[in-house]
Amino acid sequence: MYTSTLTHHRDCNHFWDLEEERNFELRISFNGFLLQGTVEAAMSMTHSPGGCSIGPMLAFSRFVPSDAGAFKLPSVHYHHEISAAEMQEAFCVRKQKLLHLFQQRKASPRDIDENGDTIMH
């Protein structure tokens, strides 16, 4: 991948030294039995050459039993007896089942089990 950065000349009125960019982020999480999940609130503010931006975020992750929804899908582990093609097929099957659960709203990528693990853990 190739990237480049263009800036104005130091004498230009539009010049902004990248060292002058300022970021601030505040993130707070609440979880508990009454919520049946975790609520996360965050606020980020950035002041840069393009101006000032404020980015609020509010997210909820629900607690689910580790034997429910997407947590019931079998994990795909590498074994030296399994060929690359078999491993790829196992991942594809798991992915399709997971997408089906998401579409049916029986699971969410943000679900957390009683151990605090997500389905990606």
Side-chain angles (χ1 to χ4, degrees):
M1 183 168 89
Y2 176 76
T3 60
S4 64
T5 303
L6 301 174
T7 61
H8 289 267
H9 189 271
R10 285 193 173 276
D11 296 333
C12 178
N13 290 336
H14 299 289
F15 173 78
W16 186 288
D17 190 352
L18 293 178
E19 292 177 7
E20 294 181 30
E21 182 173 295
R22 293 181 295 271
N23 296 309
F24 171 75
E25 184 171 326
L26 175 66
R27 186 174 298 263
I28 301 172
S29 294
F30 303 95
N31 60 6
F33 180 74
L34 292 176
L35 290 174
Q36 291 297 306
T38 299
V39 175
E40 186 175 6
M43 174 71 74
S44 65
M45 296 188 315
T46 302
H47 189 270
S48 64
C52 183
S53 67
I54 300 173
M57 189 272 295
L58 182 64
F60 177 76
S61 299
R62 66 185 177 144
F63 291 142
V64 296
S66 58
D67 62 350
F71 290 101
K72 287 194 307 187
L73 291 177
S75 296
V76 178
H77 297 286
Y78 173 75
H79 299 286
H80 60 276
E81 300 93 25
I82 297 177
S83 70
E86 290 172 321
M87 190 68 152
Q88 184 176 4
E89 177 64 24
F91 275 117
C92 288
V93 168
R94 181 175 166 85
K95 178 181 133 188
Q96 290 304 319
K97 288 180 179 180
L98 196 55
L99 289 174
H100 182 73
L101 288 172
F102 292 162
Q103 289 168 346
Q104 301 249 314
R105 300 200 186 275
K106 292 182 179 177
S108 166
R110 298 190 55 85
D111 286 350
I112 300 172
D113 72 2
E114 59 268 8
N115 300 317
D117 294 332
T118 66
I119 58 172
M120 300 303 287
H121 188 262

